[in-house]
Amino acid sequence: MFNYYFDADRDGHADTIRMFEAIGKGEYEGYTSRYVTFELLKTEEPKRANMMKLIEKYNITVLDFHDEANRLANIYVRNKVIPEKFLLDGAHIAISSIHELDCILSFNYQHINKLKTKRMTELINLSEGYKRIAICTPMEVLDYEEAE
């Protein structure tokens, strides 16, 4: 999501900006995690600083690392939902799950926003005592809300 805010050539760019603005206006609660900020820190400057500034600009709550999220992410890996090499992607889903967020917004169609991941994380979450979490794009959330 943070990348799409600054990359005007991506299909989801305009809707990503709209989503951040809606969060800033209080229409949605915005969350990210230390798992995400850890990834952002690997980005080259000045893009890194610009992406990190979005957190403050839009008053996004940063969820801290959590042992339970790490445990749940490892269950996703053991069940071949997320490749071991991409454990951090599983941690994104897990931290959102343990905090009972309604949805995860992601353009990561390789490991997060894909049918297998959606179905398998739902089954694992339910078996581990967590609720289902929706995984979608900003367009799906914004379009749904506008249609009501």
Side-chain angles (χ1 to χ4, degrees), residues 7 20 34 63 91 95 97 111 115-116 118:
D7 192 346
F20 273 100
R34 294 283 173 223
L63 304 172
I95 195 73
S97 298
H111 305 117
L115 186 59
K116 175 185 174 185
K118 292 176 186 184

Side-chain angles (χ1 to χ4, degrees), residues 14-75:
D15 287 312
T16 298
I17 291 174
R18 282 180 46 220
M19 178 55 73
F20 273 100
E21 289 174 350
I23 291 167
K25 292 176 191 170
E27 295 173 25
Y28 300 95
E29 291 180 35
Y31 294 89
T32 193
S33 73
R34 294 283 173 223
Y35 301 100
V36 173
T37 60
F38 177 76
E39 284 188 324
L40 296 181
L41 291 175
K42 297 177 187 175
T43 307
E44 298 285 327
E45 290 292 358
K47 192 172 187 178
R48 174 189 331 151
N50 290 334
M51 288 191 296
M52 295 296 286
K53 286 177 189 173
L54 293 176
I55 295 168
E56 186 176 332
K57 178 179 180 178
Y58 293 105
N59 197 28
I60 295 172
T61 301
V62 180
L63 304 172
D64 212 349
F65 295 110
H66 197 287
D67 289 340
E68 179 61 12
N70 296 337
R71 185 189 75 79
L72 190 56
N74 278 294
I75 292 173

Side-chain angles (χ1 to χ4, degrees), residues 74-122:
N74 278 294
I75 292 173
Y76 299 152
V77 169
R78 275 197 314 273
N79 284 279
K80 301 192 183 330
V81 178
I82 302 288
E84 186 172 4
K85 180 178 175 182
F86 298 99
L87 177 64
L88 206 53
D89 289 341
H92 296 322
I93 300 167
I95 195 73
S96 300
S97 298
I98 68 166
H99 284 281
E100 297 186 343
L101 302 183
D102 294 322
C103 70
I104 299 168
L105 300 179
S106 177
F107 289 106
N108 179 337
Y109 298 112
Q110 224 176 3
H111 305 117
I112 296 177
N113 197 346
K114 63 186 241 179
L115 186 59
K116 175 185 174 185
T117 305
K118 292 176 186 184
R119 288 188 175 168
M120 293 299 295
T121 55
E122 178 178 348

Side-chain angles (χ1 to χ4, degrees), residues 119-130:
R119 288 188 175 168
M120 293 299 295
T121 55
E122 178 178 348
L123 293 173
I124 291 168
N125 282 3
L126 291 174
S127 73
E128 293 296 317
Y130 296 103

